[in-house]
Amino acid sequence: MENCIFCKIIRGEIPSKKVYEDEHLLVIEDVSPQAPLHLLLVPKKHFVNCLDMTAEEDALVGYIFRKAGEIASKDVYAQSGFRIVQNNGSGAGQSVFHIHFHLLAGRNLVWPPG
Ligand code: DGP
């Protein structure tokens, strides 16, 4: 998508702090971290949010969760626990309309979330 900020990051048109990249997925540091570890797992294919996905993406979503676990297992902040968050729609806090999964750790993550 031409004007999507995450598509621009994926294309290398906007700089980011990359943690992991492969043909399906980009993992970057969040520009406005809400915890000592705050990464964004961003699929390279553009989807607005989970309402935009079909059964074709089932494997991709499973892959993203497995990668999130792999990354968390190597991070010191995530040793005592971590959270994966995905916001759908502005009322839920979505501000970038290219699906992404927040990986948060390193502070007390309260429940229920705000
Ligand atoms: P959400 O509110 O769930 O749509 O999350 C969007 C996140 O994206 C938010 O935590 C801030 C982050 N973000 C926005 N613009 C940029 C950017 O240009 N670079 C990076 N690394 N993160 C961004």
Side-chain angles (χ1 to χ4, degrees):
M1 295 281 283
E2 184 142 1
N3 290 320
C4 167
I5 197 161
F6 285 174
C7 286
K8 287 183 179 177
I9 288 174
I10 289 161
R11 291 195 297 265
E13 295 166 14
I14 293 176
S16 65
K17 291 189 181 166
K18 280 185 204 176
V19 171
Y20 175 82
E21 182 171 19
D22 64 27
E23 59 177 319
H24 302 295
L25 180 65
L26 180 65
V27 183
I28 58 175
E29 291 183 10
D30 195 293
V31 79
S32 173
Q34 301 301 309
L37 177 68
H38 188 171
L39 303 179
L40 301 172
L41 292 99
V42 185
K44 289 192 169 176
K45 195 169 170 187
H46 181 97
F47 302 98
V48 173
N49 55 37
C50 73
L51 298 173
D52 198 23
M53 295 182 128
T54 69
E56 272 185 48
E57 280 71 58
D58 289 359
L60 175 64
V61 176
Y63 177 69
I64 291 169
F65 270 77
R66 186 167 62 75
K67 276 289 166 194
E70 234 175 76
I71 291 167
S73 71
K74 292 178 192 146
D75 192 284
V76 67
Y77 287 121
Q79 295 313 301
S80 65
F82 60 93
R83 186 171 289 168
I84 299 168
V85 176
Q86 188 262 316
N87 297 319
N88 292 280
S90 52
Q94 186 175 10
S95 59
V96 177
F97 291 86
H98 176 133
I99 198 167
H100 52 280
F101 299 77
H102 299 257
L103 172 54
L104 298 147
R107 66 168 169 80
N108 187 28
L109 296 166
V110 295
W111 192 262

Coordinates of all heavy atoms in Angstrom, one line a residue, residues 5-6 9 14 16 28-32 38 40 87 93-96 100 102, ligand 1:
I5 N 2.4 3.4 6.5 CA 3.7 3.7 7.1 C 4.5 2.4 7.3 O 5.7 2.3 7.1 CB 3.5 4.4 8.5 CG1 4.8 5.0 8.9 CG2 2.9 3.6 9.5 CD1 4.6 6.1 10.0
F6 N 3.8 1.3 7.6 CA 4.5 0.0 7.8 C 5.0 -0.6 6.5 O 6.0 -1.2 6.4 CB 3.7 -1.0 8.6 CG 3.7 -0.7 10.1 CD1 2.8 -1.4 11.0 CD2 4.4 0.3 10.7 CE1 2.8 -1.1 12.3 CE2 4.4 0.6 12.0 CZ 3.5 -0.1 12.9
I9 N 8.1 1.2 5.8 CA 9.2 0.6 6.6 C 9.7 -0.7 6.0 O 10.9 -0.9 5.8 CB 8.8 0.4 8.1 CG1 8.6 1.8 8.7 CG2 9.8 -0.5 8.8 CD1 8.1 1.8 10.1
I14 N 11.4 4.2 5.1 CA 11.4 4.9 6.4 C 12.3 4.0 7.3 O 12.2 2.7 7.3 CB 10.0 5.0 7.1 CG1 9.1 5.9 6.2 CG2 10.1 5.4 8.5 CD1 7.7 6.0 6.8
S16 N 14.0 2.0 10.5 CA 13.5 1.4 11.7 C 14.6 0.6 12.3 O 15.6 0.3 11.7 CB 12.3 0.4 11.3 OG 12.8 -0.6 10.5
I28 N 10.4 -5.1 14.4 CA 11.1 -3.8 14.7 C 10.8 -3.4 16.1 O 9.8 -3.8 16.7 CB 10.7 -2.7 13.7 CG1 9.2 -2.5 13.7 CG2 11.1 -3.1 12.3 CD1 8.7 -1.3 12.9
E29 N 11.7 -2.5 16.6 CA 11.4 -1.8 17.9 C 10.3 -0.8 17.7 O 10.3 -0.1 16.7 CB 12.7 -1.2 18.4 CG 13.7 -2.2 18.8 CD 14.9 -1.5 19.4 OE1 14.9 -0.3 19.6 OE2 15.9 -2.2 19.6
D30 N 9.4 -0.7 18.6 CA 8.3 0.3 18.5 C 9.0 1.7 18.8 O 9.8 1.9 19.6 CB 7.2 0.0 19.6 CG 6.0 0.8 19.3 OD1 6.0 2.1 19.5 OD2 4.9 0.2 19.0
V31 N 8.5 2.7 18.0 CA 9.1 4.0 18.1 C 8.7 4.7 19.4 O 9.4 5.6 19.8 CB 8.7 4.8 16.8 CG1 7.3 5.4 16.9 CG2 9.7 6.0 16.5
S32 N 7.7 4.2 20.0 CA 7.2 4.8 21.2 C 7.0 3.7 22.3 O 5.8 3.3 22.6 CB 5.9 5.5 20.9 OG 5.3 6.0 22.1
H38 N 9.5 -3.7 23.8 CA 8.3 -3.4 23.0 C 8.7 -3.5 21.5 O 9.2 -2.6 20.9 CB 7.8 -2.0 23.3 CG 6.4 -1.7 22.7 ND1 5.6 -0.6 23.0 CD2 5.7 -2.5 21.8 CE1 4.5 -0.7 22.3 NE2 4.5 -1.8 21.5
L40 N 7.4 -4.8 17.5 CA 6.2 -4.9 16.6 C 6.5 -6.0 15.6 O 7.6 -6.0 14.9 CB 5.9 -3.6 15.8 CG 5.7 -2.4 16.7 CD1 5.6 -1.1 15.8 CD2 4.3 -2.6 17.5
N87 N -4.3 -4.8 18.3 CA -5.5 -3.9 18.3 C -6.2 -3.9 17.0 O -5.6 -3.8 15.9 CB -5.0 -2.5 18.7 CG -4.3 -2.4 20.1 OD1 -4.8 -3.1 21.0 ND2 -3.3 -1.7 20.2
G93 N -7.6 1.1 20.0 CA -6.3 1.6 20.1 C -5.4 1.4 18.9 O -4.3 1.7 18.9
Q94 N -6.0 0.9 17.8 CA -5.3 0.7 16.6 C -5.0 2.1 15.9 O -6.0 2.9 15.7 CB -6.0 -0.2 15.6 CG -5.1 -0.5 14.3 CD -5.7 -1.5 13.4 OE1 -6.9 -1.9 13.5 NE2 -4.9 -1.9 12.4
S95 N -3.7 2.4 15.7 CA -3.4 3.7 15.1 C -2.7 3.5 13.8 O -2.6 4.5 13.0 CB -2.5 4.5 16.0 OG -1.3 3.8 16.4
V96 N -2.2 2.4 13.5 CA -1.5 2.1 12.2 C -2.3 0.9 11.6 O -2.4 -0.2 12.2 CB 0.0 1.7 12.4 CG1 0.5 1.3 11.0 CG2 0.8 2.8 13.0
H100 N -0.4 -5.7 12.9 CA 0.9 -5.9 13.6 C 0.6 -6.4 15.0 O -0.5 -6.2 15.6 CB 1.7 -4.6 13.7 CG 0.9 -3.4 14.3 ND1 0.0 -2.7 13.5 CD2 0.8 -2.9 15.5 CE1 -0.6 -1.8 14.2 NE2 -0.1 -1.9 15.5
H102 N 2.0 -6.5 18.9 CA 3.0 -5.9 19.9 C 3.5 -7.0 20.8 O 2.7 -7.9 21.3 CB 2.2 -4.9 20.8 CG 1.6 -3.7 20.1 ND1 2.2 -2.5 20.1 CD2 0.5 -3.6 19.4 CE1 1.5 -1.6 19.4 NE2 0.4 -2.3 19.0
Ligands
DGP1 P1 -1.4 0.4 17.3 O1 -1.7 1.6 18.1 O2 -1.8 -0.9 17.9 O3 -1.9 0.6 15.8 O4 0.2 0.4 17.2 C1 1.0 1.2 16.4 C2 2.3 1.2 16.9 O5 3.2 1.6 15.9 C3 2.5 2.3 18.1 O6 2.9 1.6 19.3 C4 3.6 3.2 17.6 C5 4.2 2.4 16.5 N1 4.7 3.3 15.4 C6 4.0 4.2 14.7 N2 4.8 4.8 13.7 C7 6.0 4.1 13.8 C8 7.2 4.2 13.0 O7 7.3 5.0 12.1 N3 8.2 3.3 13.4 C9 8.0 2.4 14.4 N4 9.1 1.7 14.7 N5 6.9 2.3 15.1 C10 5.9 3.1 14.8

